[in-house]
Amino acid sequence: MGYSEQRSTLVPATVWRRQGPVAPVEILPDGCMDLIWTGTGLLVAGPDTVPVSATGSGDMVALRFDPGVAPSVLGVPADAMVNGRVDFADIAGSSQARRLSEEAATGDPGKVLERFAAAQLDRSPPPRWLHPATSLLSAGHPVAGVADQISASPRQLQRWSRHHYGYGAKVLQRILRVNAAMAGLRTGCSAVDTAYDCGYADYAHMFRDFRSVTGRSPADFLAPTLR
């Protein structure tokens, strides 16, 4: 029993696997969307803006797409899926969902989902601006500057962001920065050093963003030795 994840070699996504009964866990916003094999069917998890409690009694395998990628795979705008959990058949149609479910049930679900996503992206790749915009936003660049670097207006970037990420560029930036800060805290970095490394004006700034995204304070994510 347990949880594991591995970077996909076929698509911009991470394959995660959860085995056996799992106690309720809190899923925090990370800017991503997931295509999940539940063991009996397929489910799509939209981009979250608030923490979500999840549990399950069986094995699950999923693709967690990098921010903004899932709409090119699924053919639906991310802002129609915010904080949602939707049956894959409602998006792809019952016949395609049935075929993919049958393949997942009889083979390696992770590889089945990877191959499906790779085929979809071959037909409809993500826009060229997506990767550089995500990288720039993650690095803390001002939204107006990001728009300029991808040859778009701020208004265009906001519209594209809602379609691909599920929310505006500034919200995505806040979520990505909080996730980067959480990773730093969990590896043993102090709160003050983490705030500096992640480009926050000060600890109070980081604290406000953590409250907004996770509902908790940075101290809740400190490595045990620093508590």
Side-chain angles (χ1 to χ4, degrees):
M1 295 192 298
Y3 174 86
S4 65
E5 57 181 47
Q6 183 175 9
R7 188 67 181 168
S8 170
T9 59
L10 297 180
V11 293
T14 295
V15 182
W16 60 261
R17 301 171 187 270
R18 194 187 69 188
Q19 296 179 300
V22 177
V25 295
E26 185 180 52
I27 300 173
L28 300 174
D30 59 6
C32 301
M33 291 177 62
D34 296 53
L35 176 57
I36 306 168
W37 167 246
T38 66
T40 58
L42 292 161
L43 182 71
V44 176
D48 295 321
T49 60
V50 294
V52 175
S53 180
T55 187
S57 57
D59 297 353
M60 300 176 75
V61 182
L63 277 185
R64 181 188 301 118
F65 295 102
D66 289 359
V69 172
S72 296
V73 174
L74 303 172
V76 294
D79 55 358
M81 295 284 298
V82 173
N83 296 324
R85 303 295 184 269
V86 179
D87 194 308
F88 180 66
D90 293 338
I91 294 173
S94 58
S95 59
Q96 186 177 55
R98 184 170 56 253
R99 285 196 301 272
L100 198 60
S101 292
E102 288 172 354
E103 290 180 31
T106 57
D108 180 330
K111 295 197 177 300
V112 169
L113 297 182
E114 284 185 278
R115 288 195 297 268
F116 164 75
Q120 295 295 102
L121 291 175
D122 281 343
R123 288 191 287 269
S124 178
R128 288 185 175 183
W129 62 265
L130 185 69
H131 179 69
T134 304
S135 297
L136 291 166
L137 290 169
S138 181
H141 290 258
V143 172
V146 173
D148 185 60
Q149 292 202 52
I150 63 171
S151 301
S153 70
R155 182 173 294 183
Q156 282 178 311
L157 177 57
Q158 288 299 98
R159 185 171 67 251
W160 296 347
S161 293
R162 286 192 292 271
H163 178 90
H164 284 276
Y165 302 126
Y167 21 66
K170 191 67 178 177
V171 175
L172 175 71
Q173 185 174 67
R174 183 182 303 120
I175 288 171
L176 294 178
R177 182 150 58 173
V178 165
N179 275 265
M182 281 192 291
L185 293 169
R186 285 167 171 159
T187 58
C189 231
S190 72
V192 173
D193 286 344
T194 298
Y196 175 79
D197 291 343
C198 292
Y200 289 103
D202 50 29
Y203 176 79
H205 181 196
M206 184 170 76
F207 182 91
R208 290 193 299 271
D209 275 8
F210 264 72
R211 281 293 190 191
S212 172
V213 173
T214 72
R216 296 153 66 185
S217 78
D220 292 327
F221 300 91
L222 282 169
T225 55
L226 295 180
R227 291 183 182 277

